[in-house]
Amino acid sequence: MRHLFYFAKEAVRGLLQAKLMTSLSILIIGVSLFFFGAVGLTALNFQNWFSRASSQLRLIAYVEEDIAQQPAKLNALVDGIRARNDVAEVSVVDKDEAWRRFEESYGKEMLEAVNENPFPYALEIVPSDEHSGGENSSLVEALESDPALLGISYLRDWLDRINQIKDFFLLGALVVFVLVTGALTMVISNTVKLTIYARRELVSNMRLVGATNLYIEMPFVLEGMLQGFMGGVVAVAVLFSARVLLSRFAFDWGPISLLD
């Protein structure tokens, strides 16, 4: 117990003795850990967003006005699409619902100059799970060839591009992670060397009186652990501050949410 107290006392004394180097080390560790946390949270949200978008993948088929105004024909069209084995769900979006959705997404100002509802009737078609990964070309072809439909809107190409962007982002983040880790390792290594060099006389004297390597090294190890801990506290504090400032945005903060 006496040795542990000595190690802790020497570690704290070392921190206070070299204030500039200690502050620089804590700052570098804090900034690096904040960067790792920010990249990790961005990747987490990117993955969650893409997963939600993929699970909500759907086709929008626009219905001819004449068909939409005849409930019997509209129901027959819906039932015919719903009967396909590559379709999980079909729902009708009437003109009022399309207006409401547009208003929610883009605001009322965009529609102030419009005298009448310009939106067509539409069918939201959700492919079945086994056909949601792009294996629904037959469904797309069938919808495009149906004379009761004006056309279709399909988000697969857009999601594929987003997926490519995600892959490039993760690759870039990995490269930067490796570079920053290497730089951080070099900085900490040089800091430790400078610290030991500054106390070379103390180390030499301890060797002369028979101190073991473990006895000499433990204060330096504890000092490095304290610097790492304080750097981690700085990183978490900055991430938590960012969470407070960005609280109005829908962002998944992962473990940071546990600090509530």
Side-chain angles (χ1 to χ4, degrees):
M1 194 66 187
R2 180 169 55 87
H3 291 328
L4 290 176
F5 179 76
Y6 167 77
F7 295 151
K9 184 182 70 173
E10 286 299 305
V12 173
R13 188 175 70 84
L15 288 175
L16 297 177
Q17 187 175 2
K19 295 182 178 65
L20 179 61
M21 292 301 299
T22 297
S23 301
L24 182 62
S25 298
I26 292 173
L27 180 62
I28 292 174
I29 293 172
V31 170
S32 301
L33 292 177
F34 169 75
F35 172 79
F36 294 151
V39 171
L41 288 173
T42 303
L44 172 65
N45 281 269
F46 214 126
Q47 182 63 40
N48 291 344
W49 176 80
F50 183 78
S51 297
R52 288 194 299 269
S54 298
S55 65
Q56 296 172 0
L57 178 64
R58 60 194 63 202
L59 292 147
I60 307 297
Y62 301 101
V63 184
E64 287 278 1
E65 189 70 22
D66 293 341
I67 302 297
Q69 297 300 329
Q70 302 180 52
K73 291 185 177 181
L74 180 60
N75 291 335
L77 175 63
V78 172
D79 292 339
I81 296 174
R82 187 177 287 139
R84 296 179 58 95
N85 60 2
D86 51 4
V87 172
E89 181 184 346
V90 181
S91 57
V92 178
V93 179
D94 60 22
K95 298 168 72 70
D96 292 336
E97 176 64 15
W99 179 288
R100 186 188 65 80
R101 292 185 181 184
F102 187 91
E103 195 175 71
E104 284 185 353
S105 299
Y106 302 102
K108 297 181 179 180
E109 296 78 9
M110 297 282 290
L111 298 170
E112 287 180 352
V114 179
N115 295 324
E116 59 182 19
N117 193 325
F119 300 104
Y121 276 78
L123 303 179
E124 284 189 347
I125 304 168
V126 181
S128 56
D129 292 339
E130 60 270 21
H131 296 88
S132 62
E135 303 172 1
N136 47 14
S137 58
S138 61
L139 173 60
V140 174
E141 292 174 0
L143 294 173
E144 287 179 336
S145 61
D146 193 327
L149 300 175
L150 294 170
I152 64 170
S153 175
Y154 188 37
L155 300 180
R156 171 53 60 183
D157 293 338
W158 178 73
L159 287 175
D160 288 341
R161 286 195 292 269
I162 293 295
N163 197 23
Q164 291 177 353
I165 294 173
K166 181 195 71 172
D167 292 338
F168 283 127
F169 171 79
L170 293 178
L171 179 61
L174 179 61
V175 172
V176 175
F177 176 86
V178 172
L179 294 176
V180 172
T181 300
L184 181 61
T185 301
M186 292 179 59
V187 169
I188 293 176
S189 175
N190 290 332
T191 301
V192 171
K193 290 178 182 178
L194 289 173
T195 301
I196 295 176
Y197 180 78
R199 304 180 203 170
R200 60 189 183 280
E201 294 184 0
L202 174 63
V203 172
S204 298
N205 292 335
M206 293 182 69
R207 288 190 184 280
L208 290 175
V209 297
T212 63
N213 289 337
L214 179 63
Y215 196 84
I216 296 173
E217 294 170 357
M218 278 305 296
F220 295 103
V221 173
L222 287 178
E223 185 176 341
M225 292 173 64
L226 287 173
Q227 290 179 359
F229 174 76
M230 286 187 281
V233 170
V234 170
V236 172
V238 175
L239 284 171
F240 184 74
S241 299
R243 181 178 184 273
V244 173
L245 293 174
L246 302 175
S247 58
R248 55 181 174 176
F249 297 98
F251 197 81
D252 185 358
W253 290 93
I256 302 297
S257 300
L258 299 177
L259 296 178
D260 289 341

